[in-house]
Amino acid sequence: MAAFGVLAVVLSVYCVCFLVEGTYMVYNTSGGVVPEKINVHLVPHTHDDVGWLKTVDQYYVGSNNSIQVACVQNVLDSLIPALLADKNRKFIYVEQAFFQRWWRQQSDGMKETVKVLVSSGQLEFINGGMCMHDEAATHYIDMIDQTTLGHWYIKRDFNVTPRIGWQIDPFGHSAVQAYLLGAEVGFDALYFARIDYQDRAKRCAEKNLEVIWQGSKSRGSSSQIFTGAFYAGNYEPPTGFYYEVNDDSPIVQDDIELFDYNVQERVDAFVAAAYFQANVTRSNHIMWTMGTDFKYQYAHTWFRNMDKLIHYVNQDGRVNTFYSTPSIYTDVKHALNESWPLKSDDFFPYADRVNAYWTGYFTSRPTSKGYIRVLSGYYLAARQLEFLLGRIKSGLTTDSLADALAIAQHHDAATGTEKQHVADDYAKRLSIGYEESKDVVAASLGCLTQSPLSSECKSPVTNFNQCPLLNISYCPATEVDLSVGKKLVILVYNPLGWKRTSVVRIPVINENLSVSDSTGKLILSQLLPIVNASVSTRKFYVSAYTGESPSSAPKYWLAFTAVVPPLGFSTYVISSGQSSATTELIPNTVDTGSIEVGSGNLKLIYSGKNGKLMKYRNSRNSVNVSLEQSYTYYVGSTDELQASGAYVFRPNGTHTIQFEEKIPLTVYRGTLYDEVHQTFSSWVYQTTRVYKEKEHTEIEFTVGPIPIDDGNGKEIVTQLKTMIGNNKTFYTDSNGRDFLERIRDYRADWDLQVDQPIAGNYYPINLGIYIKDKNTEMSVLVDRSVGGSSIIDGEIEIMLHRRLLHDDGRGVDEALNETVCALDTCMGLTVQGKYYLRFDPLGEGSKWRRSFGQEIYSPFLLAFSEQDDKWTNFPTPTFSAMDPSYSLPDNVAVITLQELQDGAVLLRLAHLYEVGEDNDLSSLATVELNRFFQNRKINKIKEMSLSANQERAEMERKRLPWKVEGSNTEPLSDLRGGPIDHVKLVVELAPMEVRTFILDFNSDIVPYNMR
Amino acid sequence: MAAFGVLAVVLSVYCVCFLVEGTYMVYNTSGGVVPEKINVHLVPHTHDDVGWLKTVDQYYVGSNNSIQVACVQNVLDSLIPALLADKNRKFIYVEQAFFQRWWRQQSDGMKETVKVLVSSGQLEFINGGMCMHDEAATHYIDMIDQTTLGHWYIKRDFNVTPRIGWQIDPFGHSAVQAYLLGAEVGFDALYFARIDYQDRAKRCAEKNLEVIWQGSKSRGSSSQIFTGAFYAGNYEPPTGFYYEVNDDSPIVQDDIELFDYNVQERVDAFVAAAYFQANVTRSNHIMWTMGTDFKYQYAHTWFRNMDKLIHYVNQDGRVNTFYSTPSIYTDVKHALNESWPLKSDDFFPYADRVNAYWTGYFTSRPTSKGYIRVLSGYYLAARQLEFLLGRIKSGLTTDSLADALAIAQHHDAATGTEKQHVADDYAKRLSIGYEESKDVVAASLGCLTQSPLSSECKSPVTNFNQCPLLNISYCPATEVDLSVGKKLVILVYNPLGWKRTSVVRIPVINENLSVSDSTGKLILSQLLPIVNASVSTRKFYVSAYTGESPSSAPKYWLAFTAVVPPLGFSTYVISSGQSSATTELIPNTVDTGSIEVGSGNLKLIYSGKNGKLMKYRNSRNSVNVSLEQSYTYYVGSTDELQASGAYVFRPNGTHTIQFEEKIPLTVYRGTLYDEVHQTFSSWVYQTTRVYKEKEHTEIEFTVGPIPIDDGNGKEIVTQLKTMIGNNKTFYTDSNGRDFLERIRDYRADWDLQVDQPIAGNYYPINLGIYIKDKNTEMSVLVDRSVGGSSIIDGEIEIMLHRRLLHDDGRGVDEALNETVCALDTCMGLTVQGKYYLRFDPLGEGSKWRRSFGQEIYSPFLLAFSEQDDKWTNFPTPTFSAMDPSYSLPDNVAVITLQELQDGAVLLRLAHLYEVGEDNDLSSLATVELNRFFQNRKINKIKEMSLSANQERAEMERKRLPWKVEGSNTEPLSDLRGGPIDHVKLVVELAPMEVRTFILDFNSDIVPYNMR
């Protein structure tokens, strides 16, 4: 055909237009690696966002195409015949949320066909979670859960395990992704596109795009994974090689009888693009990602052109090309037996160009992020209770919440970078999931409290209500008039593996209430007024969320201290009568001196003059620091080239604007805790709680609606200023797990060009942030994903809310201007949340960060039951799933306890400490499963990969070993708990280790009281 | 599923989101007609323009998608599996230019598959020409040829004959389409979308969209065809039922497990749309055209949704629907045995809304239209010569010209409504076709002139050159210096069936030249100067068209009278020596009195004062009329709602703008003819010729570049004003065949609301236009498609050229502003052409219109050979394919004589007169085939349908008879020639009859001199 090419050039005006009877062409696509040439691995793929501009279902069925022409159903429908047409063709599919929608619509015949394609390797599942989760605004438990769910589907339907991590779109990459969701799920490699443009430039220049990434200091070489960043910063083909049905790339026109024959031109362009990429890539293998968002809607158009490229490029011979997959590419790279550079820490923050730091999305849509985190914790507890109840085959399960949470981890969901209607869709799914799961929870609690113990529990006597809007003081179950002789039973469930003591607060309408524990003993309680700010928030948002106007507001919060066994519950009874301890009110008219708050070890000292926080003092450990706390905002840039928006944080200059200097202050003192109420402005309200028995302070903020009548979008931060000399250094967690050191205006991998001294120093926070100097640590823990930093020494700041009026040009094409409508009014979104602050002597902070972090993630689950005055007690008023004498060690958490569809039980245990993090707790921990599971006998136990789709031993056997440049050829031994003893059933956990087990219980034994 | 619909409404907030293992759905698409219901015939189709915004090849392969996302290859590639997936699915395909491109790329296996689909009726070819030809700017011979070519492919590949006319997009509909390209090709029905909006409104209101259309007065009921105009004026689905892969109609979402389930909503919309259409349609059958331009690029998306519609709509039961085709629809309509209204004349002009008359395209791109017409006539002659030569299997043929001409009949080609680059593509194809055909012509003429007569002629001795740019006085073959003893031989071929005498003109460089005929006898000749205007046109356009600068210009036109036998040639020899008769020049400074021009019967009298034409006088028949001739222009409207453009003619008001009052005049008098040169303006030049032996005048105009420096687009017309009292009535031809009566500001079918008194009275002209009163007829014949009218009584106007600066909003998205670039300059296009004018006593005009009309269509074909002074003569210096004593009767023309690929010969004979048109010639004519084919013996003769794809008898037997309202149930007997006598081989032709034959010659006999 080369001769034809020449001919075509000669006949540039007049093509050869004689009629020919037949020109059926068979393309040779059978090539493989040619060692001495540049090998271009063509990897056909589609990147299907599990919601972004359209909802996941709209993307699947292809509706709402006026927003975006995208239909995943078409991708998969058209893919199968395209693969069948040529056995050399290959395709990878990623997002199981879509694949499962498609799969269950298929006929048995089609399913068999697809199974053959999968087993032959033509169709390969990679990454394999329900979605391609975000890596900044996600919690590691959610990441594991959504990956496990997707991997489980793949295992169930195809009996295969994905080999490759494929995080091509997320906006920066986390250490947890590399080692937990990479190495620990058995992936042989991890690929992605988005790393900082400065970093990428340097890696291109030095051929360091492909590295060995070690995500965890603690986990040693076992946490290493071969990692490739794409040279162009995207996951698309080289320019001119797009073949979607509606693309306008030059297709390969190889019919000599038609005009515009262009084979030589396309071959030349191919070779040039290959040379270009080879110049920045180590070895003679390069990967072309042949696809992008929602491509292959008519797969044939891609394969037809790629067939031709393979045929003519190989005929040309300058480079070699063939259909490939990331697995094949990885195997070939591995077979080269080379050593690769080592990469530590992570790939945050991400800027795709100058002034474009994608650090806004760490906080975008804070209420969505809050809802996800609340339900993440709820889901963990609900699965425990589902397990304790026994999974009811025909009834309700937590599955829809699993599905909703999985989808919500998508990198345009948890991130807040989706269109508003899509955000609404995620919320709807979560709400549906919650509704279904709360019935599981209620049924389980009903059964667990029920007698007789031995019979099956089908319809529990007690109907437990729950209050998802308790945070805005809305709880119909507790807002009952107890003065007429009724009793309110509160069941407090503790999902943690430790006994736990915390204050519980519920809204009530009566004044004179007493609280008694499950033995009938009266316990201390405290009554606080529900302030006007809460009442108006309650009225508006209850209407917005439920569609109903709540009846008149409750007047008080009733608080008491609950003490609950591990994986168990205690019950408390509220009744009318004896007055609760009242709360002393300090009026807000103090204007001199200082005000000390806190009746335990911890004291906060406020200025009586301006109402501002001045000092934090812990009498137990002699921490005594001066402390300022403020709310400030950045004005979002409206720069045409780069505005601040859903993705990008770009403050308009570095000056922050202060609120009013004098802050009204009201203090409520009580027996259990003191509360400080501060109105920073008409749209920033804060309640600070100091618990008598705790040594941290809880700060509840209510921010919004952010005013925009000045035409400025605003990004609200809270700042905590101390004298701690942290020398530019601060620490943020990776997805709620390892803490990484951050240094202001510095990157370990390249000489940072600082253009954005604020946005460029923001990092994602899921658990907390801390700074330290030689004496003191200041830690802040958060209740959801946020962005934060330490912009000046001694300071920590957390971005709490964002309202912006411009789109930032990354495709969502909407300004991040969230509004809520109710009661015939629409207003900007108000966010209410909490953060927690504590100071510790140097080296002592991690205990609180880890233990209390678990409490934040897994708060008490409250359930309510109204009883008449004759009611005395449940048959089982307190409960623990564990041996009463047992508790998990302080450094271990149960992060999954779940009965699977086949009745087997999935258990994940996580060591909470890093190597060297704590003098006591960074040590090998042990868990005694026989005592952990009271009354159940473990029949069989298998240790699994993190996503539980293969046995751990098999995973380790199969996983490719890689060599790191400059290190010994032998991988470092990793710190790991020993193999489980199948008799003693003791599990060891090394620092930061997560171990995953599938358990079979002996079904002869009736476990617990409801089976 | 109706219950689910209700459920979906109830659960408007929360869908039913439980996980289900499998929901594979089988749709019931098996329905057919249900007599008592409204039956919605879903007709899946794509409308694939054979060039418009992209070239035909670009549309086929899908390149240039930035202009339009269109790829016919995808349509056909995706269609086949979609049809195979469900045997109830159907599809129609129309344009063979595309289908053939696809077909020859397919494997044998695929071809077999497609054949099965065609034979089962799942895939049906309708219309079936190479393109969906235009009906206004096309000549009936071209329409027949392009249809025949397409039908031949279908017959060859599938052995089927299309049954349905499907002219859904052309911009108005011609009588010739109805009866020749409809009834005469055996179609049972004709469907289209575009009729005047006022007409459509009335037909909708009266349920008269479906009629029996009789296209020819002369051909009686045999010219009737069942015709349906679409109710919405387009060929698209009802709003909301578009399912292209990138459409945004609401797809049918019937997966109850996903959000946005919308089955009931879509069913309701379907039923409402069906009711709406049924209300304007006679009977309970309606057709939905499920597709539009370039749809089904992923056919699956349409069928998936239509499957669902059929399933759920039939389940709903209010209306009935199923996959159908226009054939099925037609059969069902026919089976109703109803009578239908009769429609006469045609559907021109077409306005799609107020002020939007699509009458501009009658003239748009006049040089393209001229090129097509020139090559159409050339192709007719070239095929005769190809036949006479014998079709050479391995060598050159006229096939590429056939293909190019076929494509050029497309309704965005001949119309001039394509983008400029596409117009260039058509021209390139025509040019290539010409280049190939001219070699066939040269070879044939070389052989025909050659000796010995009996041997096969493989390489003719004589090399004949031809001069396609003779019209701009460029002919290298004649521009040779004959003073050095060379001889120039001119072969004059006459494609007509009659002996013919006409003046031939060639550019020469010498003065003293003599012309002798093939017997060596000197004949009269005349030398005229080539004027400066011609020289500059020649220089610029030769450079533009050939890329070469011509050598110095020839100085003279040498004219002589050629006399040529039918289907034959004469040769003439030009040599140096004796001086030719010179031409007398009257200088242009006459300023008083009048100037009489013409040395024969016809005299033109010009004003000596202002140079204007004043009178036309024929001394033979005493016609003596005053006559004004002028050029004027309309300024194209730039109205935002409707500008004048490629499609739409919308003058800015009705005032025309006159050119200069005094017109410079130069007269050349000669022995053969007189010439009058007039410069109307710097950009309008005119040469008027009065031949001594002819009674018409030939007007050659050179118009352009139209100036636009005043910012106005202009549309140039020539006006001829007389005192003829034509009482609003004028006559224009239908595609060069029947003349239709036109009445100004009037439509036969409805009360015309006159908004555009000029544009709304324009009609397409391919042959001519005439007006008459009690005494006189004035006829104008044209050399290409133009628009024209009689805007005031006594006047005829013809639009010659258009240059516009705005797009008219019909999709082409370019202003019709043609420019030509050469010699480092670009300028507006200049058009040079001719029209012919004659006056006759009432009733005598048609002889000239018909006979001379044939001469215009089929001019002498000139070929040139340079010989040295020793050369004496060809072995065969004159030739006729016919018996020397035979000639076709004056009322019959050969419109096709062509050797087919299998060696059989296609012959079409056309009666040229309508019933009552001429006292003598509107009579039954006879053709003696034995004398027509000299030296050949007809072995076998079959009368065929017009497109020659089935025997005539079979066509008549199969064709459905229809009943006309109010007429006898028996169809009127039609006037038709009797069956052919296979012994005598005499063909009878009734007025306007066209008869088509396939002949087999006895191959034992060596025909002619070259076999």
Side-chain angles (χ1 to χ4, degrees), chain A residues 13-14 23-24 57 65-66 74 77-78 104-105 107 247-248 255 257 259 298 300 304 425 429 431, chain B residues 14 23-24 57 65-66 74 77-78 104-105 107 247-248 255 257 259 298 300 304 428-429 431:
Chain A
V13 176
Y14 294 152
T23 52
Y24 173 59
D57 285 348
N65 263 6
S66 59
N74 286 346
D77 277 357
S78 69
R104 59 175 178 68
Q105 293 181 337
S107 68
D247 272 337
D248 58 4
D255 188 337
E257 294 168 45
F259 289 135
Y298 179 30
H300 178 62
R304 179 171 55 210
D425 184 74
R429 291 174 186 281
S431 171
Chain B
Y14 294 153
T23 52
Y24 173 58
D57 285 347
N65 262 6
S66 59
N74 285 347
D77 277 356
S78 69
R104 58 175 178 69
Q105 292 182 338
S107 68
D247 272 337
D248 58 3
D255 189 335
E257 293 169 46
F259 289 136
Y298 180 31
H300 178 63
R304 179 171 56 210
K428 185 165 77 171
R429 291 174 186 280
S431 171

Side-chain angles (χ1 to χ4, degrees), chain A residues 729-748:
Chain A
T729 305
F730 55 105
Y731 301 86
T732 61
D733 64 279
S734 177
N735 302 112
R737 196 130 176 88
D738 306 57
F739 275 95
L740 302 189
E741 181 183 80
R742 313 296 190 181
I743 300 174
R744 194 183 322 126
D745 294 340
Y746 173 83
R747 302 289 188 273

Side-chain angles (χ1 to χ4, degrees), chain B residues 112 136 235 274 281 316 501 610 662 691 772 812 921 938 940:
Chain B
E112 286 309 309
Y235 43 85
T281 307
D316 175 271
T501 302
N610 60 19
K662 181 155 170 56
Y691 294 91
K772 62 184 181 183
V812 70
L921 296 168
I938 295 169
K940 195 172 162 193

Side-chain angles (χ1 to χ4, degrees), chain B residues 33 38-41 163-164 188-189 191 207-212 226-230 277-278 280-288 322 324-340 960-963:
Chain B
V33 168
I38 292 170
N39 288 275
V40 182
H41 293 246
R163 287 185 53 202
I164 302 292
D188 284 317
Y191 296 98
K207 293 194 175 184
N208 281 345
L209 287 161
E210 292 175 329
V211 298
I212 305 297
F226 179 79
T227 302
F230 300 150
Q277 187 175 348
V280 298
T281 307
R282 209 174 276 215
S283 91
N284 61 333
H285 288 271
I286 59 177
M287 187 188 336
W288 281 16
F322 49 89
S324 184
T325 67
S327 302
I328 293 170
Y329 178 81
T330 302
D331 287 342
V332 168
K333 286 273 176 176
H334 181 261
L336 297 174
N337 200 26
E338 291 193 19
S339 294
W340 305 87
L960 301 176
W962 296 84
K963 290 192 295 187

Side-chain angles (χ1 to χ4, degrees), chain B residues 241 262-274 313 316 318:
Chain B
F241 293 94
N262 68 355
V263 168
Q264 194 58 48
E265 175 206 310
R266 298 320 300 149
V267 168
D268 289 346
F270 188 103
V271 171
V313 166
D316 175 271
R318 282 174 287 173

Side-chain angles (χ1 to χ4, degrees), chain B residues 61-81:
Chain B
V61 302
S63 59
N64 225 346
N65 262 6
S66 59
I67 291 179
Q68 187 183 11
V69 174
C71 175
V72 176
Q73 191 176 12
N74 285 347
V75 174
L76 291 165
D77 277 356
S78 69
L79 177 66
I80 306 308

